[in-house]
Amino acid sequence: AQKVTQAQTEISVVEKEDVTLDCVYETRDTTYYLFWYKQPPSGELVFLIRRNSFDEQNEISGRYSWNFQKSTSSFNFTITASQVVDSAVYFCALSGGMDSNYQLIWGAGTKLIIKP
Amino acid sequence: DGGITQSPKYLFRKEGQNVTLSCEQNLNHDAMYWYRQDPGQGLRLIYYSQIVNDFQKGDIAEGYSVSREKKESFPLTVTSAQKNPTAFYLCASTPSSVRGSPLHFGNGTRLTVT
């Protein structure tokens, strides 16, 4: 069975602190994709990053970075020098199995609160 | 700019009434999806469509119906058979249904049934 676990229900930090959101996944597939999406208060989910199972290189995009480790089945997301605008719910998702996008497995989300 | 438009943003209905949520995209995407979001939970797939005039049930299709008569439009009807319809509904699309394509989302419709 496939599963995505975001154990942190809610995280609250003060602006400018670094924060890491955890994502642990389970899958028996050798080929799969992992995603992070951001859901601000407006409700729309915004795609942040996709990583395929053959690419374990970490990625940095401005203040955002992602650490993919197949050995621990984790795909963690770090925000450096957090800002109030980073406040949102963040979802991790897994796409595996058949060649179809509909089999996205979603984590429950982590609500991130950045206090000024 | 291209995107997905969901309307209305808020919808209120009495129990026992059917209600239709609109989803329109001008991204020229083949595949479209409906998700339901409940507080503290991840998204759950209701229906998806890979091509015009074809759609498939997702994980929680009971009490819902869809149509895909045009590439741009994928309306969702919440029927009176849906036992707990109050939720946030999100429409999404991808260029195709190939695994790995990131989803593009609309702003969602918050449905309240009393």
Side-chain angles (χ1 to χ4, degrees):
Chain A
Q2 298 184 94
K3 186 178 179 181
V4 174
T5 301
Q6 294 180 257
Q8 304 150 311
T9 304
E10 184 175 306
I11 300 175
S12 180
V13 301
V14 177
E15 197 173 21
K16 298 183 183 177
E17 288 185 14
D18 298 346
V19 59
T20 295
L21 282 61
D22 298 332
C23 174
V24 174
Y25 63 93
E26 296 176 25
T27 182
R28 294 182 180 177
D29 296 319
T30 55
T31 303
Y32 53 89
Y33 290 87
L34 293 162
F35 302 82
W36 275 97
Y37 286 85
K38 174 182 181 180
Q39 186 178 39
S42 60
E44 176 183 357
L45 272 81
V46 177
F47 166 71
L48 295 178
I49 190 171
R50 175 188 64 189
R51 173 65 75 228
N52 74 55
S53 52
F54 298 108
D55 182 2
E56 287 194 71
Q57 285 190 348
N58 292 331
E59 180 150 343
I60 298 174
S61 177
R63 297 183 296 104
Y64 295 173
S65 62
W66 290 269
N67 182 7
F68 177 32
Q69 291 194 337
K70 289 178 74 172
S71 60
T72 57
S73 297
S74 64
F75 186 41
N76 296 337
F77 172 31
T78 297
I79 301 175
T80 302
S82 60
Q83 300 177 2
V84 173
V85 293
D86 295 326
S87 296
V89 180
Y90 291 86
F91 290 94
C92 180
L94 166 70
S95 175
M98 297 168 59
D99 277 340
S100 174
N101 224 23
Y102 77 92
Q103 284 201 342
L104 270 178
I105 308 299
W106 294 83
T110 296
K111 184 176 183 180
L112 178 62
I113 301 170
I114 310 297
K115 299 177 182 178
Chain B
D1 289 337
I4 298 178
T5 301
Q6 290 187 244
S7 61
K9 188 174 179 67
Y10 298 96
L11 192 53
F12 298 88
R13 280 294 182 270
K14 294 290 186 183
E15 194 173 324
Q17 294 179 335
N18 291 353
V19 59
T20 297
L21 282 60
S22 170
C23 177
E24 302 279 333
Q25 56 101 355
N26 59 3
L27 299 166
N28 199 33
H29 285 177
D30 286 324
M32 297 186 74
Y33 311 81
W34 273 106
Y35 283 95
R36 170 179 172 141
Q37 185 179 17
D38 294 284
Q41 297 187 35
L43 279 67
R44 292 185 290 170
L45 183 66
I46 305 172
Y47 268 98
Y48 68 101
S49 169
Q50 297 173 297
I51 197 169
V52 174
N53 292 323
D54 183 58
F55 47 83
Q56 306 295 328
K57 292 182 179 180
D59 300 321
I60 56 166
E62 185 175 350
Y64 299 97
S65 65
V66 294
S67 62
R68 187 86 187 276
E69 297 176 0
K70 299 186 299 182
K71 187 175 184 178
E72 308 79 32
S73 180
F74 191 41
L76 173 74
T77 297
V78 184
T79 75
S80 56
Q82 168 51 232
K83 296 179 181 179
N84 185 20
T86 295
F88 187 54
Y89 292 88
L90 285 156
C91 180
S93 70
T94 54
S96 69
S97 60
V98 172
R99 181 179 53 180
S101 298
L103 290 161
H104 296 254
F105 283 90
N107 285 332
T109 293
R110 191 167 299 278
L111 173 64
T112 302
V113 177
T114 58

